[in-house]
Structures are given as C-alpha cells and as structure tokens.
C-alpha cells in the first residue's frame, strides 16, 4: 500500500472526443464526429452530444486536449482525425 496507483489512463470528463462513424453512407461522408466524453462503460467510452441531446457508447475514439465547452459555448473545430 506504499505505492501510488497509476492514473495516466484516466481521461478528463467533458473533453472533446472524435468518434468513428461505424458505416458512412457515401464514399465522401465524414468518417468521424465530434462529441463530448461523458464517462466509462465496461468495454467502451460513453460519449454524448448536448446539441443533439443523445448519448451512446463507442470503442474507437480519439481524445483531444481541449474542452467541449468554453465559456458556456461549444467549441467547433472542423479538423477531424479520421
């Protein structure tokens, strides 16, 4: 019990996350969408989109270092990683 636990794998709640769209409809459709990290599930991350008022689970995600909300306004950056 003298050793501190490693918490580097934990993510900050409310950060912007890009999640992969499972099946894009057309060839040139976006392959990912920007959402907010809400929490953890057993095998995936729990993501939410306050503008669309929905929540879902996703295993394929890429975290950014910026917050989803700044000054109570959503930050929209159109640079999608996928």
């Amino acid at each position: 019990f003298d050793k501190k636990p490693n918490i580097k794998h934990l993510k900050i709640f409310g950060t912007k996350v890009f999640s992969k769209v499972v099946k894009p409809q057309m060839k040139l459709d976006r392959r990912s969408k920007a959402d907010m990290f809400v929490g953890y599930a057993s095998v995936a991350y729990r993501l939410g989109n306050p503008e669309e008022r929905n929540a879902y689970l996703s295993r394929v995600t890429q975290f950014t270092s910026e917050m989803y909300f700044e000054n109570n306004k959503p930050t929209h950056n159109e640079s999608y990683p996928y």
Side-chain angles (χ1 to χ4, degrees):
F1 295 120
D2 295 331
K3 187 177 177 182
K4 291 184 179 181
N6 187 5
I7 58 171
K8 291 184 179 183
H9 65 281
L10 295 178
K11 307 296 182 192
I12 299 172
F13 294 105
T15 56
K16 186 182 283 189
V17 175
F18 291 100
S19 63
K20 186 173 181 183
V21 175
V22 178
K23 293 182 181 179
Q25 299 298 325
M26 301 294 287
K27 184 175 182 175
L28 298 177
D29 284 347
R30 289 200 170 142
R31 303 276 194 254
S32 67
K33 62 180 185 172
D35 290 315
M36 181 174 62
F37 176 62
V38 178
Y40 294 98
S42 59
V43 294
Y45 296 110
R46 188 176 310 271
L47 307 176
N49 192 336
E51 297 167 352
E52 297 176 4
R53 298 183 60 88
N54 63 356
Y56 62 96
L57 300 177
S58 177
R59 290 176 23 181
V60 181
T61 57
Q62 186 170 6
F63 287 86
T64 62
S65 60
E66 61 185 85
M67 297 300 286
Y68 190 82
F69 285 103
E70 287 184 12
N71 300 327
N72 294 329
K73 294 181 182 177
T75 58
H76 293 291
N77 188 359
E78 294 296 328
S79 60
Y80 289 92
Y82 294 114

